[in-house]
Amino acid sequence: MKISYNWLKTYIDTELQPDEIAKILINTGLEVENVEKFESVKGGLEGLVIGKVTSCKKHPNADKLTCTTVDVGNGRELPIVCGAPNVAEGQKVVVATEGTKLFFGDKEIVISKTKMRGEVSEGMICAEDEIGLGSSHAGIMVLDEKAVIGTPAKEYFNIESDTVFEIGITPNRIDGASHIGTARDVVAFLSQSQKINLLQPSVDQFKIDNNKLKIEIELENLEACPRYTGVTVTNVKIEPSPLWLQNRLKAIGLKPINNLVDISNFVLHETGQPLHFFDADKIEGKKVIIKTLKEGTQFLTLDEQERKLSGEDLMICNANKGMCIAGVFGGIESGVTENTKNVFIESAHFNSVYIRKTAKRHGLHTDASFRFERGSDPNITVYALKRAALLIKEIAGGEISSEIIDVYPNKINECNVELTFKNLKRLIGKEIEKSNVKQILTSLDIKIVSEDQEKLILEIPTYRVDVTRGVDVIEEILRIYGYNNVEISEHVNSSLSYIQYPDKEKIQNIISDMLSNNGFSEIMCNSLTKAYYYNDSESFKPANLVYIVNALSQDLNVMRQTLLFGGLETIEYNKNRRNKDLKLYEFGNVYNLKEGKNENPLKNYNEEFHLSLFLSGNKTEESWIIKEEPTSFYLLKSYVENILERLGFDINKAVVNSINNDIFSEGLSYIYNEKSIIEFGILNKKLAKKFDLENTVYYADFSWTNILKIIAKHHIRFAELPKYPEVRRDLALLLNKDVQFGRIKELAFNSERKLLKKVSLFDVFEGEKIGIDKKSYAISFILQDETKTLTDKQIDKIMESFIHVFEKELDAKIR
């Protein structure tokens, strides 16, 4: 939001400079994000002066040029070569002297001393389009004879320079979204050190001229529109606004249209109250009805877009049809045009929820909806209406031709709040004098209804929609008193805190560091995603999706059930930018709707924390020294098991199952303490094809919630390093092709739980020599007794038991 310094000063009697005002605004909670200069004419006519042509003769070497001498004051006469056909001796003209900058659109030229066809020229006599005062280039500007030679052009043309503050309005400070609202804060701040009042424009001159044009108002939806006020003005004349009004609007980035539209915008940015001007002659039945229309009704808005209305969109209608989407956008048929003679002025208070939903539904965000969405002042409608009517009479002529019709069945009263001095001191950390507190409250228009030694009962003005509690009032006091005036205490309070085990953030950081150190990049995807991804999914049922009410778009209409699709979108994004070798991980929540219904709505939803890993492309970057090697399932498996081991899991105790579903074409799942902790494998090609991914994608999904539950039951134990050596024995087994290594490992540990430490597969062989349906596994076994050295007899006995189990359970043969 933009605030003009010159405009602001019309409500404050102060000589403070723009930088001082900016500091006050920042200190009072209106963050000044930028300060820029504004000039009603680009360049401010700097370097241009009023001159008089004292001589004029034809150029000796050019038919279309004229050699002139121009008196620019202070005894200076400049030789200037001019190409304008209307230049003549005795004229008062505008002269650009040497060094002056002139602007032509985005281009800038600097006037310098030069020779034109052999004749010296030390300036330029200007046409109106050359200095930004018009569009004509028929000839130079010829001024009134009364113009004083040597007068700076910016003074003669009354060029306005201004400073504009760009303010970042937070949702709770909509009271500051106007020049009067901003001035109110500055006055409140300054009133602590000086006597100063807010100079709010008076509307006491408002009076009804006649009752020629009466418009009836019918308010059907009181919830959506608690107050609606209107008045008519007849015999107005549409024409360009006066220069002062145009400059006010230009300074804050608005383009002047005509006097009526400009008045509407001026009052909006002055008071913060949006208005709407209807062409009264187009109001059918001379009746304004505030209501909702039938679902699906077509309505043509001011931008010539036909919009399908919701049954919840509040409309301003005439006797037959809709004229305007209330508080959001006007209709194309009822607005003010150059032919308008009579107007109906609307000043209303709309329900913020209705306006916000309508604006969001239609993707319309206007100055009016910005203010109504955040809460407007129900008790300013009449003042704003009178202010606009008086400006119309002043600028566009016309007569006020009806009584003010104010439909306000249920008055919205000021909110009463209790403020205790004890709480004030506790929250601020400093005791402020009671007289000072009361003075600040008075300067903020907060009335003191009653008081005693311990508390104040206060009446909050209706324009402060965010101030409803004692703590809100304390915040108001503090921002005017000044945060910088609260000294930093030398006394520090602290409390002992107990960190619940396991420390979720610490564990997450450990694994994040581990993955990042292994070449992974962390991604953070949106928790909102497309419902389309879950169509026909067996693993993530569409019925379990959590839908967003009033979703921003169809691409963000559900909460994610898995981290998978966000990761695939990231892989697709990188692939399209020729970055195919990827190692990614993401921590995040997933959401789903539970089956069945619970009386407590919150218990119908489930939220879990997950970790996902993605591998795609090559294992290492292309290099002359390293052979290109694609990523593989076993590389992913090594990362998965390293993570589990780092977290203290004994992988040998996990139950390993094969999985083959709509997510994984091949994969494994680990179950630990009867809880599923990880599923990983090769992503289903049908799913990868949805994202146009040609390379194989390897994906792992950790149930971090289950992992933390298991870790919570772990007790870290420290043991002395073994004194006795490990022993390794190898076996080569001839097996059927359908036998998996996981089964061999499981049988080995079931056979010897105490001394067997590790089982590894170090070679696989397949070929016609051993049979088409056979394969050979070379497997190593690590044995160790932590109390003594193992003997050959013990080792042989254990190995014989392994062989016996493998032969019996797997039909294996020893090679």
Side-chain angles (χ1 to χ4, degrees):
M1 186 195 73
K2 292 186 175 182
I3 294 293
S4 156
Y5 170 72
N6 289 348
W7 192 349
L8 191 68
K9 281 188 68 180
T10 61
Y11 313 113
I12 313 169
D13 183 13
T14 181
E15 297 302 321
L16 289 175
Q17 295 304 302
D19 59 330
E20 295 173 297
I21 294 287
K23 288 178 183 177
I24 292 172
L25 294 177
I26 292 170
N27 288 336
T28 55
L30 296 174
E31 187 67 32
V32 178
E33 296 176 341
N34 186 35
V35 178
E36 57 189 33
K37 292 290 182 184
F38 165 78
E39 291 164 329
S40 55
V41 174
K42 192 172 182 179
L45 301 188
E46 290 290 340
L48 290 116
V49 296
I50 306 303
K52 181 179 180 179
V53 181
T54 56
S55 69
C56 188
K57 62 181 180 179
K58 283 291 182 184
H59 194 292
N61 303 317
D63 294 337
K64 294 185 179 181
L65 297 179
T66 304
C67 295
T68 68
T69 305
V70 183
D71 181 1
V72 293
N74 296 327
R76 295 173 63 207
E77 287 197 351
L78 303 178
I80 297 176
V81 176
C82 180
N86 65 329
V87 65
E89 186 176 333
Q91 291 174 336
K92 297 287 181 70
V93 294
V94 180
V95 180
T97 56
E98 188 176 349
T100 299
K101 294 179 181 179
L102 298 181
F103 300 89
F104 298 88
D106 295 330
K107 293 182 179 179
E108 174 187 302
I109 65 166
V110 180
I111 302 300
S112 59
K113 183 177 179 179
T114 185
K115 278 190 176 183
M116 299 181 70
R117 295 287 185 95
E119 296 294 320
V120 174
S121 182
E122 295 184 9
M124 174 178 170
I125 304 174
C126 301
E128 64 178 45
D129 67 323
E130 292 168 333
I131 57 177
L133 292 178
S135 57
S136 173
H137 195 68
I140 60 170
M141 288 184 76
V142 179
L143 306 180
D144 190 274
E145 271 295 319
K146 294 179 182 178
V148 178
I149 297 171
T151 302
K154 65 180 180 181
E155 293 180 14
Y156 180 82
F157 291 106
N158 195 25
I159 299 303
E160 184 172 336
S161 295
D162 199 355
T163 301
V164 180
F165 307 109
E166 182 80 39
I167 296 177
I169 291 288
T170 53
N172 66 314
R173 287 305 315 280
I174 194 62
D175 64 290
S178 66
H179 282 76
I180 288 178
T182 303
R184 189 188 292 120
D185 271 10
V186 176
V187 168
F189 184 87
L190 294 176
S191 64
Q192 295 182 91
S193 57
Q194 59 184 281
K195 190 174 181 180
I196 188 170
N197 294 311
L198 180 67
L199 306 176
Q200 189 163 335
S202 172
V203 292
D204 293 340
Q205 297 300 315
F206 179 89
K207 65 182 178 64
I208 295 136
D209 297 309
N210 56 62
N211 284 291
K212 291 180 180 178
L213 182 57
K214 293 182 180 180
I215 302 290
E216 184 183 344
I217 296 175
E218 190 176 310
L219 185 51
E220 290 188 8
N221 193 328
L222 282 172
E223 181 188 3
C225 181
R227 187 177 192 181
Y228 192 91
T229 311
V231 73
T232 58
V233 183
T234 57
N235 300 322
V236 299
K237 185 178 180 181
I238 305 294
E239 56 187 8
S241 297
L243 196 58
W244 71 266
L245 180 52
Q246 291 191 39
N247 287 339
R248 288 284 185 260
L249 298 180
K250 285 179 181 178
I252 60 173
L254 296 181
K255 182 181 178 182
I257 307 296
N258 60 49
N259 49 8
L260 285 192
V261 174
D262 294 349
I263 287 168
S264 174
N265 285 326
F266 177 83
V267 175
L268 166 65
H269 288 276
E270 178 183 57
T271 66
Q273 172 64 22
L275 303 176
H276 192 83
F277 290 2
F278 295 93
D279 188 326
D281 297 326
K282 296 178 182 178
I283 301 176
E284 298 175 15
K286 300 305 176 192
K287 179 186 284 189
V288 171
I289 307 169
I290 299 90
K291 62 180 181 178
T292 53
L293 295 178
K294 187 179 177 182
E295 180 80 33
T297 300
Q298 298 291 334
F299 182 69
L300 192 63
T301 47
L302 202 57
D303 57 357
E304 300 183 356
Q305 296 290 318
E306 192 166 64
R307 303 180 189 276
K308 189 179 289 186
L309 298 177
S310 162
E312 295 182 356
D313 291 336
L314 187 67
M315 297 292 294
I316 310 301
C317 309
N318 57 35
N320 300 316
K321 58 186 178 182
M323 299 188 295
C324 169
I325 301 176
V328 180
F329 211 43
I332 198 164
E333 295 182 7
S334 61
V336 171
T337 68
E338 64 273 10
N339 300 317
T340 297
K341 298 294 182 186
N342 306 310
V343 294
F344 172 74
I345 308 173
E346 166 197 284
S347 181
H349 171 64
F350 298 115
N351 184 306
S352 60
V353 175
Y354 271 81
I355 302 303
R356 182 169 62 252
K357 287 183 177 180
T358 294
K360 190 174 180 181
R361 196 178 291 122
H362 296 289
L364 292 169
H365 301 285
T366 60
D367 282 340
S369 69
F370 175 83
R371 285 158 176 82
F372 282 129
E373 284 177 27
R374 288 157 177 78
S376 63
D377 180 8
N379 296 324
I380 200 179
T381 59
V382 172
Y383 174 83
L385 193 76
K386 289 180 177 180
R387 177 74 168 140
L390 288 172
L391 285 170
I392 290 174
K393 286 189 69 174
E394 176 188 337
I395 295 170
E399 301 169 330
I400 298 171
S401 297
S402 75
E403 300 284 345
I404 291 178
I405 308 145
D406 186 14
V407 184
Y408 195 14
N410 302 313
K411 190 175 187 305
I412 299 172
N413 294 314
E414 289 79 4
C415 171
N416 282 350
V417 172
E418 180 181 283
L419 171 67
T420 64
F421 294 111
K422 181 180 179 182
N423 206 29
L424 179 69
K425 180 182 178 182
R426 182 180 67 85
L427 291 178
I428 292 180
K430 177 180 181 177
E431 186 167 359
I432 303 174
E433 290 289 333
K434 292 181 182 180
S435 59
N436 199 358
V437 170
K438 289 190 279 187
Q439 187 273 325
I440 291 172
L441 292 172
T442 302
S443 69
L444 289 168
D445 291 344
I446 297 175
K447 295 179 182 177
I448 301 171
V449 177
S450 65
E451 62 178 295
D452 56 36
Q453 290 299 314
E454 297 180 354
K455 66 181 183 298
L456 300 174
I457 304 299
L458 307 171
E459 189 176 88
I460 311 299
T462 50
Y463 63 77
R464 288 312 308 267
V465 294
D466 62 308
V467 180
T468 57
R469 306 166 299 165
V471 289
D472 299 328
V473 175
I474 292 171
E475 183 182 358
E476 291 299 292
I477 293 169
L478 183 54
R479 68 183 184 84
I480 300 301
Y481 178 76
Y483 290 95
N484 294 334
N485 292 326
V486 179
E487 299 82 3
I488 298 174
S489 174
E490 295 180 357
H491 177 75
V492 178
N493 293 321
S494 65
S495 60
L496 296 175
S497 60
Y498 169 73
I499 299 174
Q500 190 174 359
Y501 180 82
D503 187 338
K504 177 185 172 182
E505 283 72 25
K506 182 179 179 181
I507 292 172
Q508 183 177 327
N509 288 337
I510 288 171
I511 300 305
S512 293
D513 290 344
M514 176 182 169
L515 289 169
S516 298
N517 291 339
N518 278 277
F520 280 79
S521 298
E522 184 173 9
I523 60 175
M524 297 178 71
C525 300
N526 200 330
S527 295
L528 302 178
T529 186
K530 303 176 185 177
Y532 155 77
Y533 289 150
Y534 298 90
N535 290 349
D536 305 320
S537 175
E538 295 175 6
S539 299
F540 305 105
K541 297 178 181 177
N544 294 338
L545 286 171
V546 179
Y547 281 85
I548 302 299
V549 179
N550 293 325
L552 291 172
S553 72
Q554 290 302 306
D555 289 343
L556 301 170
N557 62 343
V558 296
M559 302 292 284
R560 62 186 178 189
Q561 284 197 66
T562 173
L563 303 180
L564 172 61
F565 299 120
L568 293 179
E569 286 178 341
T570 305
I571 294 172
E572 180 187 26
Y573 180 88
N574 280 271
K575 183 212 74 169
N576 293 338
R577 286 153 183 80
R578 300 181 180 274
N579 184 22
K580 295 182 179 180
D581 302 333
L582 299 168
K583 294 163 77 175
L584 310 172
Y585 73 95
E586 179 181 13
F587 284 96
N589 287 314
V590 297
Y591 313 85
N592 58 67
L593 186 65
K594 293 179 182 177
E595 294 181 2
K597 291 288 182 181
N598 195 293
E599 290 182 4
N600 183 350
L602 294 177
K603 293 186 178 180
N604 290 325
Y605 301 94
N606 187 48
E607 179 178 339
E608 291 186 356
F609 201 64
H610 279 237
L611 164 65
S612 62
L613 307 183
F614 298 88
L615 298 180
S616 182
N618 291 320
K619 182 178 178 181
T620 54
E621 292 182 4
E622 187 178 2
S623 170
W624 66 272
I625 201 169
I626 300 173
K627 187 178 178 181
E628 217 174 65
E629 182 182 348
T631 52
S632 66
F633 169 81
Y634 296 102
L635 178 62
L636 176 64
K637 185 171 183 281
S638 68
Y639 288 130
V640 166
E641 295 192 345
N642 285 340
I643 289 171
L644 294 176
E645 287 177 358
R646 180 65 183 84
L647 295 172
F649 283 81
D650 185 350
I651 298 171
N652 297 323
K653 293 180 180 179
V655 177
V656 182
N657 295 318
S658 298
I659 49 174
N660 184 314
N661 53 33
D662 59 327
I663 304 299
F664 299 102
S665 57
E666 291 181 66
L668 297 175
S669 71
Y670 287 4
I671 297 172
Y672 201 95
N673 289 357
E674 300 182 350
K675 293 183 186 293
S676 176
I677 57 171
I678 173 72
E679 290 184 351
F680 64 97
I682 304 170
L683 193 72
N684 193 305
K685 287 188 177 179
K686 185 179 178 182
L687 189 56
K689 192 176 180 181
K690 278 188 178 182
F691 294 84
D692 197 26
L693 301 178
E694 297 170 358
N695 284 352
T696 302
V697 177
Y698 300 93
Y699 167 60
D701 179 27
F702 290 83
S703 177
W704 207 252
T705 299
N706 285 343
I707 285 173
L708 292 176
K709 286 178 182 177
I710 294 169
I711 291 174
K713 296 179 180 179
H714 279 181
H715 296 287
I716 299 174
R717 291 183 181 143
F718 297 92
E720 187 180 356
L721 290 173
K723 296 179 180 179
Y724 303 98
E726 296 176 343
V727 175
R728 170 173 168 161
R729 291 289 187 270
D730 298 340
L731 285 179
L733 302 175
L734 186 63
L735 303 157
N736 294 327
K737 271 193 175 181
D738 60 350
V739 176
Q740 294 185 345
F741 170 70
R743 179 63 175 151
I744 297 171
K745 187 176 178 181
E746 181 185 354
L747 290 171
F749 276 104
N750 287 341
S751 177
E752 177 53 59
R753 296 180 182 275
K754 184 179 178 183
L755 301 180
L756 181 61
K757 301 299 181 184
K758 188 176 181 183
V759 180
S760 301
L761 175 66
F762 64 88
D763 190 35
V764 179
F765 175 75
E766 295 180 10
E768 293 181 0
K769 292 182 180 180
I770 62 172
I772 297 173
D773 59 343
K774 297 288 183 179
K775 62 183 176 183
S776 175
Y777 274 1
I779 300 172
S780 66
F781 301 86
I782 304 296
L783 303 169
Q784 186 181 39
D785 189 334
E786 296 179 2
T787 60
K788 60 181 184 293
T789 302
L790 288 170
T791 63
D792 288 339
K793 187 176 180 181
Q794 286 177 294
I795 296 166
D796 291 341
K797 185 178 179 182
I798 293 170
M799 294 307 296
E800 285 172 9
S801 70
F802 288 162
I803 293 169
H804 175 72
V805 169
F806 296 152
E807 288 176 342
K808 181 181 177 182
E809 299 292 335
L810 305 175
D811 193 25
K813 290 184 173 58
I814 306 301
R815 295 186 68 196

